[in-house]
Amino acid sequence: MSEALQNSNTLDTPIQFIKGVGPKRAEVLHSLGISTIKDLLYYFPRKYVDRTSLSTIGSIQEGDEVNLVGRVKSVNLRRMKKGNFVTANVADHTGSIRLMWFNAADYIHQSLKVGDLLTMHGKVAAYKGSHQIVHPEYDKLNANEISLTTGFIIPVYPLTDDLKKSGLENRNLRKIIYLALQSVENIDDHFDTDLRKQFDIQDLNTALRNIHYPKDFVSLEKSVHRLKYDEHFFLQLLLAKRKSKIKENKYDSIKFKTKSYNKILKNLHFELTGSQQLSLREIVDDFLSENPMNRMIQGDVGCGKTIVSILASAIVVDNNYQVAIMAPTDLLSKQLFKNFKSQFESIGIKCTLLVGSLKPKEKNKVLDEIKSGKSNIIIGTHALFQKKVEYKKLGLIIIDEQHKFGVRQRKELSEKGGNNCDVLVMSATPIPRTMMMTVYGDMDLTLIKEKPKNRKKIVTYSKLEDKISEIIRFVKKEISNKNQIFWVCPLIEESKKVEQQSVVKKFKYLEKYFKNRIGLIHGSLDKDERNKILNNFLDRKLDILVSTTVIEVGIDFPNANVIVIENADKYGLSQLHQLRGRVGRGSKQSYCILMFKSSLSENAKKRINILKSSDDGFVISEEDMKLRGYGDLLGFKQSGIKNFRLADPILNEDLFLLAEAEVKKLEMKGDNFSKYNKLLKLYDRASIINEIS
């Protein structure tokens, strides 16, 4: 080991200075995002092999799920027409066992060598009077692995096959991390002793050492608990800094001018709900403030967010500002344009549509109207923040279906308004508060939970797929009453591996019953063709629309009152609730029919029963999270927030709330968080950090 590293106590030491790394292996580690000792120590194991529950090969029985350690005695690759497979014979001092792999056979054959020491996990099956394990999980051990792993628990790190092929295997990585930990005398803690005692969390030095080489599972749990708290704390810290940065800007306030507001209110054929009135009060308070509005309206499907955004826009226009409303698709933009135009055109306020499909002459005219200020309200897709678009005086940005846009897109559009632009985003995707704060914690939050009084509860049924004749009779009856139907299937083409109905096959099947009044859309259709079919359905030229989940985005089809969802057990709860929300937009009674096969898992039964018993999107999403855990559950890949490494904002709500309270306490004390600056990049939230700085 180099003298520089031996005398160093910094976590910022480049990785190539650790013994056994060097430039070539450092390059491989860089592909994992590991450049320094700090990066290495924060590259956590994906699981652990418990050597305390190790079985000997001679003691195992059929049906046992076991952990074994043994040496490879032979490896054989068999090439067959239907695919290759590998077998290996592994033995310890009590006996031998056959291992078998069908997947990645060539790679495993090259990887395993006679004499390799393996740790294996899998279910024991009978084989010709002896035992075998098919597709065991395995990991190679060093000859001196016992000294590195304390002889009890072995960490297993996430490595791709490409990395393994490059020569980096778990046993190499364990040794590198072991040597890295030896090279660092002590890891300084960013939390003081009093806080650690108050929250009953381990010191950082112990936690980082113990997560890689745990003494036992009790102490490992404490280490994971501490590092989960760190993740929640740093997220809260980053969001607090972002919020503080936004509020440094001082804006001209927007007065509560009510001329257009009152005209629109008077023309409505319904009364606003209490939730809608409260959300408007919060928006007006933001307008009156000298700080910029940065607010999220979150509401269930059909809760009436659009009229709130229309009334907010009326106030802004009466203050001689323009409003830009961004939606994720041309079709949704056109629908919003239609809704805004119906309210504003009659009172002399001009609404303009700006989408990518406009012809050049038409587009240039729209651009001129925006620049001159002739257009008061501009509705469109991401075209709204292209370089050619110049606003005369942009005062409010409204972003619909926020999670379909990235952090950068929201930022680029807000910059079009210069130093005096409020931001209001809307989402029809109810998610629990902890996850909402994780993704949009830099924003103030408004919830609309009430639904308009004229909306009837959607009746939800579940039906076995072999009862399809009953469903067709029901659909025929609804069509005879001049209603429209969505029929949703998950896949475009037949798949032997996954037992799901093909949308194309279903369309042909239903065509026999409904002839020329049926349409088909899926993701493989080009945009123009898809929009044409959707418009035909909207104009009631079609009775049934057979579709994949492309109809999930918030398009309003007021005459559609039945949705049939095939293979409903294959969807998450929240997605089913979003799909169900495509109907029930009018005053008629609406229905959702969930079709499924007879062999449902316990989780699938729970999901379907929850959906049948509740129409509250917030309750449903909470239950969905409990069943499925945190992840890319609702398609937030573009949100700008990376996934947690260890923490889960749903399952670790207690830590989330502790961290939130602690950061608020620091803010109240006037803490500028400077002592945490070196640690802010630990969790790789670069897109937010760049905006802060």
Side-chain angles (χ1 to χ4, degrees), residues 465 489-503 505 566-571 597:
E465 63 176 18
C489 305
L491 290 182
I492 295 172
E493 296 172 355
E494 286 290 337
S495 169
K496 292 179 182 177
K497 293 181 180 178
V498 185
E499 291 183 4
Q500 296 176 329
Q501 288 288 351
S502 156
V503 67
K505 184 180 177 183
E566 298 213 11
N567 297 101
D569 53 303
K570 304 296 182 187
Y571 297 92
K597 297 183 184 297

Side-chain angles (χ1 to χ4, degrees), residues 343-489:
Q343 297 294 339
F344 283 105
E345 197 171 51
S346 62
I347 60 172
I349 293 172
K350 184 170 178 57
C351 297
T352 303
L353 180 68
L354 179 61
V355 291
S357 57
L358 289 179
K359 291 177 181 176
K361 189 177 178 182
E362 211 176 350
K363 188 175 182 181
N364 288 333
K365 183 188 174 189
V366 168
L367 291 175
D368 288 341
E369 288 176 347
I370 294 169
K371 188 176 180 179
S372 66
K374 188 178 177 182
S375 290
N376 307 113
I377 294 172
I378 305 95
I379 298 151
T381 55
H382 59 279
L384 292 174
F385 59 82
Q386 300 304 307
K387 283 184 180 179
K388 289 183 179 179
V389 185
E390 291 181 50
Y391 296 87
K392 183 181 181 183
K393 194 180 180 186
L394 186 59
L396 174 64
I397 292 154
I398 299 172
I399 302 176
D400 200 14
E401 294 295 330
Q402 157 65 14
H403 67 278
K404 301 291 181 183
F405 296 103
V407 170
R408 187 173 288 109
Q409 287 170 307
R410 192 205 322 170
K411 189 167 178 278
E412 285 175 1
L413 183 53
S414 65
E415 284 171 351
K416 289 283 185 183
N419 296 321
N420 212 48
C421 196
D422 289 321
V423 176
L424 179 68
V425 302
M426 302 191 294
S427 174
T429 310
I431 58 175
R433 179 180 172 272
T434 49
M435 188 172 173
M436 175 56 70
M437 294 301 290
T438 299
V439 180
Y440 303 118
D442 59 327
M443 308 194 84
D444 295 312
L445 183 62
T446 291
L447 296 180
I448 300 182
K449 286 203 167 187
E450 286 178 82
K451 290 187 181 176
K453 291 171 185 175
N454 65 331
R455 296 279 168 88
K456 293 179 180 177
K457 183 175 178 178
I458 301 166
V459 177
T460 304
Y461 297 114
S462 55
K463 284 279 183 184
L464 283 166
E465 63 176 18
D466 58 13
K467 303 282 186 184
I468 192 167
S469 58
E470 293 179 17
I471 297 169
I472 287 173
R473 280 199 300 273
F474 178 77
V475 165
K476 281 183 174 178
K477 181 186 167 189
E478 289 301 313
I479 290 172
S480 70
N481 291 328
K482 303 192 182 311
N483 295 320
Q484 290 175 289
I485 284 83
F486 288 115
W487 198 298
V488 180
C489 305

Side-chain angles (χ1 to χ4, degrees), residues 2 65 75 85 113 122 131 153 158 194 212 214 379 402 445 458 516 534 572 586 615 619 653 662:
S2 74
E65 200 156 319
V75 186
F85 67 91
K113 302 286 184 274
H131 294 123
I153 301 169
D194 289 343
H212 294 288
I379 298 151
Q402 157 65 14
L445 183 62
I458 301 166
N516 300 321
L534 283 169
D615 65 346
V619 171
E653 187 179 7
E662 181 60 23

Side-chain angles (χ1 to χ4, degrees), residues 231-232 234-240 242 296 402-403 405-408 410 431 434-443 630-633 635-645 647 649 656 683-689 691-692:
E231 287 197 272
H232 282 300
F234 286 120
L235 173 66
Q236 296 295 336
L237 196 66
L238 287 166
L239 295 173
R242 166 115 174 100
M296 154 78 76
Q402 157 65 14
H403 67 278
F405 296 103
V407 170
R408 187 173 288 109
R410 192 205 322 170
I431 58 175
T434 49
M435 188 172 173
M436 175 56 70
M437 294 301 290
T438 299
V439 180
Y440 303 118
D442 59 327
M443 308 194 84
Y630 173 70
D632 186 39
L633 188 62
F636 284 97
K637 286 180 181 175
Q638 298 180 66
S639 66
I641 303 284
K642 303 289 192 297
N643 284 335
F644 286 102
R645 296 179 185 182
F656 178 96
Y683 295 97
D684 191 30
R685 300 178 190 278
S687 59
I688 290 183
I689 292 168
E691 287 186 47
I692 292 168

Side-chain angles (χ1 to χ4, degrees), residues 309-322:
S309 64
I310 286 170
L311 288 164
S313 300
I315 298 167
V316 175
V317 170
D318 277 355
N319 277 266
N320 298 315
Y321 286 103
Q322 291 169 302

Side-chain angles (χ1 to χ4, degrees), residues 162-419:
D162 287 342
L163 288 170
K164 290 177 184 176
K165 287 173 186 174
S166 73
L168 183 71
E169 293 188 330
N170 256 287
R171 57 179 176 169
N172 311 122
L173 192 54
R174 280 193 293 267
K175 187 172 183 180
I176 291 167
I177 291 172
Y178 178 77
L179 292 170
L181 284 167
Q182 280 191 323
S183 74
V184 179
E185 292 174 22
N186 186 60
I187 299 166
D188 295 332
D189 207 321
H190 34 271
F191 296 133
D192 58 35
T193 308
D194 289 343
L195 186 138
R196 294 200 304 269
K197 281 181 180 176
Q198 182 187 341
F199 293 158
D200 190 25
I201 54 176
Q202 268 185 356
D203 64 276
L204 186 61
N205 185 58
T206 302
L208 281 175
R209 292 178 190 278
N210 206 46
I211 198 166
H212 294 288
Y213 291 105
K215 295 173 184 176
D216 52 57
F217 280 104
V218 173
S219 60
L220 173 60
E221 193 175 332
K222 288 181 180 177
S223 300
V224 171
H225 182 82
R226 160 61 204 259
L227 293 165
K228 281 181 178 180
Y229 178 77
D230 276 16
E231 287 197 272
H232 282 300
F233 178 82
F234 286 120
L235 173 66
Q236 296 295 336
L237 196 66
L238 287 166
L239 295 173
K241 285 177 76 73
R242 166 115 174 100
K243 224 168 185 177
S244 172
K245 188 77 175 175
I246 290 169
K247 288 186 177 176
E248 282 177 14
N249 298 324
K250 302 299 178 189
Y251 284 9
D252 295 335
S253 62
I254 291 175
K255 310 302 178 197
F256 185 29
K257 295 186 177 181
T258 59
K259 182 183 174 184
S260 299
Y261 181 95
N262 286 337
K263 282 181 181 177
I264 292 171
L265 210 54
K266 188 179 177 182
N267 291 337
L268 293 180
H269 57 275
F270 57 86
E271 287 184 17
L272 297 180
T273 65
S275 286
Q276 288 171 322
Q277 290 173 27
L278 178 60
S279 63
L280 282 164
R281 280 199 293 273
E282 289 176 342
I283 289 167
V284 169
D285 286 343
D286 287 343
F287 285 159
L288 295 172
S289 167
E290 63 178 11
N291 295 127
M293 175 168 73
N294 194 37
R295 183 169 293 279
M296 154 78 76
I297 294 183
Q298 189 194 20
D300 207 345
V301 285
C303 72
K305 294 180 297 300
T306 303
I307 192 59
V308 170
S309 64
I310 286 170
L311 288 164
S313 300
I315 298 167
V316 175
V317 170
D318 277 355
N319 277 266
N320 298 315
Y321 286 103
Q322 291 169 302
V323 179
I325 299 120
M326 183 164 70
T329 65
D330 278 24
L331 196 67
L332 193 54
S333 297
K334 287 172 183 174
Q335 185 171 288
L336 280 170
F337 174 67
K338 184 180 175 184
N339 290 337
F340 271 72
K341 191 178 179 182
S342 68
Q343 297 294 339
F344 283 105
E345 197 171 51
S346 62
I347 60 172
I349 293 172
K350 184 170 178 57
C351 297
T352 303
L353 180 68
L354 179 61
V355 291
S357 57
L358 289 179
K359 291 177 181 176
K361 189 177 178 182
E362 211 176 350
K363 188 175 182 181
N364 288 333
K365 183 188 174 189
V366 168
L367 291 175
D368 288 341
E369 288 176 347
I370 294 169
K371 188 176 180 179
S372 66
K374 188 178 177 182
S375 290
N376 307 113
I377 294 172
I378 305 95
I379 298 151
T381 55
H382 59 279
L384 292 174
F385 59 82
Q386 300 304 307
K387 283 184 180 179
K388 289 183 179 179
V389 185
E390 291 181 50
Y391 296 87
K392 183 181 181 183
K393 194 180 180 186
L394 186 59
L396 174 64
I397 292 154
I398 299 172
I399 302 176
D400 200 14
E401 294 295 330
Q402 157 65 14
H403 67 278
K404 301 291 181 183
F405 296 103
V407 170
R408 187 173 288 109
Q409 287 170 307
R410 192 205 322 170
K411 189 167 178 278
E412 285 175 1
L413 183 53
S414 65
E415 284 171 351
K416 289 283 185 183
N419 296 321

